[in-house]
Amino acid sequence: AQSVTQLDSQVPVFEEAPVELRCNYSSSVSVYLFWYVQYPNQGLQLLLKYLSGSTLVKGINGFEAEFNKSQTSFHLRKPSVHISDTAEYFCAVRGDGGYNKLIFGAGTRLAVHP
Amino acid sequence: DAGVIQSPRHEVTEMGQEVTLRCKPISGHDYLFWYRQTMMRGLELLIYFNNNVPIDDSGMPEDRFSAKMPNASFSTLKIQPSEPRDSAVYFCASSFAQRGGHEQFFGPGTRLTVL
C-alpha cells in the first residue's frame, strides 16, 4: 500500500534562508509524486509534480524537488524563502487501484520569520 | 475556467440540523473527491467518484454522512444529523484521468461550525 511520511511537522526559518521540507514515500505501483501548498484559509494548490523523466522537478514560486528512488524520498527545496512562503505544505503519492486517488502526508507548516 | 466551486464558504449550524455542502467540479473532469480537514486529524479523504459513480466511500465517518453526484457538474455532501465533532473545513477536488494526470484541483473549502 502507498504511504507518505513528512518528517517535520513544523519548520521555522528566517527570510532569505534556504529551506528543505522532507518527504518519504512507499509505493507498490509506478511512482507519481506531488507537492501541494495551502495558504491560510485557502484550498490546496499544486506546487510541482514528478511523473517520470528528470529527477529534479521545478515548480512554481521558485520551489524544486528531487526524486530519489533509492532513498524513496521527494524532498522540497527553495534556496531563499520569503515571508509569503509561510504556509502548510503537503506531499502526496498516487494511490493504487488505477484510479486518480492521492495519498497525502500529514503536512509541514513552514513559518518564515523576518 | 472558474476552478472548483464550493458553496457555502461558511456554514454555522446547531447540533442536530441537516447540513448540505455543494461542489461544482471543473468542466470535463471525471473524478471528484471530498476531503475533510481538522487540526487533530489533518486531511482525510471521505469519498470519491469516477464518472459520477462512487468508487470508495471507506473514509465516510458514519452513516450520518452521505454524498451524491447526480451529474458530471454537481455533487453534494450531506450530514444528517450534524454534531459538534463534524466541525471542520470540507474540501472538494476534481481531476481528469489522462496519461500523466492524477493532479487534483481543490476548491476553496467550506468551513463548517456545528454548535
Side-chain angles (χ1 to χ4, degrees), chain A residues 32 34 36 38 41-44 46 49 51 90 94 98-102 104, chain B residues 31 33 35 37 45 48 55-56 91 95-97 100 102-104 106-107 111:
Chain A
Y32 292 175
F34 305 79
Y36 280 81
Q38 183 180 28
N41 300 313
Q42 294 186 28
L44 281 70
L46 186 70
K49 60 184 177 183
L51 304 180
F90 293 90
R94 182 185 75 153
Y99 293 104
N100 275 23
K101 178 178 175 179
L102 294 180
F104 284 89
Chain B
Y31 278 87
F33 305 82
Y35 292 89
Q37 187 177 40
L45 176 64
Y48 70 98
I55 301 300
D56 184 354
F91 290 104
S95 70
F96 178 49
H102 296 79
E103 175 184 352
Q104 293 182 16
F106 281 74
R111 183 174 296 274

Side-chain angles (χ1 to χ4, degrees), chain A residues 8 11 13 17-23 35 63-64 66 74-79 81 108 110:
Chain A
D8 306 293
V11 173
V13 64
V19 71
E20 178 180 83
L21 306 184
R22 297 180 293 168
C23 172
W35 276 100
F63 283 93
E64 63 181 31
E66 185 158 18
F74 191 55
H75 301 334
L76 181 70
R77 302 185 182 100
K78 186 170 182 177
V81 294
T108 297
L110 176 64

Side-chain angles (χ1 to χ4, degrees), chain B residues 45-82:
Chain B
L45 176 64
L46 300 178
I47 184 172
Y48 70 98
F49 297 83
N50 178 218
N51 293 322
N52 313 337
V53 176
I55 301 300
D56 184 354
D57 65 353
S58 60
M60 296 285 262
E62 43 195 281
D63 292 345
R64 297 184 297 106
F65 286 70
S66 62
K68 294 182 180 179
M69 192 164 186
N71 57 62
S73 59
F74 183 66
S75 177
T76 59
L77 178 68
K78 187 175 293 187
I79 308 172
Q80 167 62 20
S82 58

Side-chain angles (χ1 to χ4, degrees), chain A residues 53-82:
Chain A
S54 172
T55 58
L56 184 62
V57 180
K58 294 190 182 297
I60 62 172
N61 301 339
F63 283 93
E64 63 181 31
E66 185 158 18
F67 170 58
N68 188 319
K69 187 175 182 179
S70 63
Q71 297 188 8
T72 62
S73 67
F74 191 55
H75 301 334
L76 181 70
R77 302 185 182 100
K78 186 170 182 177
S80 175
V81 294
H82 303 288

